[in-house]
Amino acid sequence: MLITRILTALVLLPLMLAALFLFPAAAWAGFSWLIVVLALWEYARMVGMSLPRQACYLALSTLFAAAAWFGHWRMQGFEHGAVLALWLLLVPAWLAKRWKMPSGLPAWLLGWALMLPAWFAFLEWRPDATTHDALALLAVMGLVWVADIAAYFSGKAFGRRKLAPAISPGKSWEGVYGAVVCVAIYVALVDHFGWLDIKLPLWGLLLLALPLTAVSVCGDLLESWFKRSAGIKDSSRLLPGHGGVYDRIDSLIAVLAVSNALRALGGM
């Protein structure tokens, strides 16, 4: 399994980096939408949509994305505020109360609320095919990867106290602490190299990194709860050794959406 995971990563990572640094804006929009719509398909399966409803849901989502791209639509202040309310208030409450997965129209709306802001963030963090824009987006994605890897190894080495045993028994508070420390080091390095070009002192960036790390953990736990509610181990088997696309981007969609909202509203 480990070899399969490594081989899949060796294919996906160069593909992602090539798209990030080389694709023109339109191709990047299409590439990032492919990632999001695959995760949206997996989500639709989790909430129990029938095949015809899945097809309709994904078709409507794709039509909206196309209209947004060609119409030059971008998220506005109200939408960014709603994103922050979702990830900073609603999702933590959902995890604490362990609410059931929605169905019908609420399920459709929740899927869009989770996935569409992440797609807009893919576009808004990288508006043009420039190295600077690509590095800024890579820096944000890197925070998620660092947090995920650090939490895994810290939890394996030091994990004692369970973070959310009813949702994801393998996660521990020690893993979270390891993620916070490693993310702080990572942010200091990114700031030193000037990837983000954010007009904040280092201590300000470190303060922002803390809630973003928490949001990353919440994104992971939310999808774990969805899978547990649906009685499945992985969101799909699209990525050998890794599960599904949603399994790979559960934390990323949260951090992208929140970081983009904070930047748009003046926090970054």
Side-chain angles (χ1 to χ4, degrees):
M1 179 63 74
L2 179 59
I3 294 176
T4 304
R5 287 176 66 91
I6 293 172
L7 290 175
T8 301
L10 289 176
V11 173
L12 294 179
L13 185 58
L15 176 61
M16 184 68 184
L17 292 176
L20 181 60
F21 284 94
L22 300 178
F23 280 13
W28 172 250
F31 178 81
S32 57
W33 177 249
L34 176 62
I35 295 172
V36 169
V37 79
L38 287 173
L40 198 59
W41 165 67
E42 293 167 348
Y43 165 84
R45 294 169 68 242
M46 285 186 203
V47 297
M49 289 188 199
S50 65
L51 287 176
R53 288 182 181 273
Q54 288 178 36
C56 180
Y57 187 52
L58 298 180
L60 287 175
S61 303
T62 301
L63 286 173
F64 172 82
W69 170 254
F70 289 109
H72 305 288
W73 301 349
R74 292 296 182 265
M75 294 183 66
Q76 304 301 316
F78 173 79
E79 287 89 354
H80 286 304
V83 165
L84 294 180
L86 170 68
W87 285 108
L88 300 181
L89 298 176
L90 181 60
V91 169
W94 196 308
L95 295 173
K97 301 294 185 181
R98 297 198 295 276
W99 294 329
K100 294 181 180 180
M101 294 182 69
S103 59
L105 181 59
W108 287 47
L109 295 175
L110 178 62
W112 285 330
L114 293 173
M115 302 296 176
L116 291 177
W119 181 65
F120 279 110
F122 271 126
L123 304 185
E124 292 170 18
W125 270 110
R126 184 197 183 271
D128 298 302
T130 64
T131 300
H132 181 272
D133 290 340
L135 284 173
L137 179 53
L138 181 61
V140 176
M141 294 191 293
L143 183 148
V144 177
W145 300 335
V146 168
D148 185 45
I149 294 170
Y152 175 81
F153 284 105
S154 298
K156 284 288 186 182
F158 308 109
R160 295 292 184 273
R161 295 178 297 163
K162 300 298 183 181
L163 176 63
I167 297 175
S168 184
K171 293 180 174 59
S172 67
W173 280 105
E174 289 78 8
V176 173
Y177 301 151
V180 169
V181 171
C182 290
V183 165
I185 296 171
Y186 169 78
V187 168
L189 290 173
V190 167
D191 181 58
H192 174 74
F193 292 121
W195 287 11
L196 283 174
D197 192 26
I198 294 175
K199 296 178 180 178
L200 284 176
L202 178 58
W203 64 265
L205 290 175
L206 292 174
L207 285 178
L208 279 173
L210 183 61
L212 288 178
T213 304
V215 165
S216 176
V217 173
C218 285
D220 190 351
L221 288 175
L222 183 66
E223 199 233 356
S224 294
W225 178 240
F226 286 165
K227 290 188 293 185
R228 183 169 287 271
S229 300
I232 58 176
K233 181 181 178 182
D234 299 315
S235 58
S236 77
R237 297 183 179 179
L238 286 177
L239 306 177
H242 290 265
V245 174
Y246 192 11
D247 291 321
R248 293 301 90 210
I249 68 167
D250 50 8
S251 296
L252 184 61
I253 62 170
V255 171
L256 279 174
V258 170
S259 63
N260 192 46
L262 289 173
R263 186 176 64 153
L265 296 174
M268 293 182 66

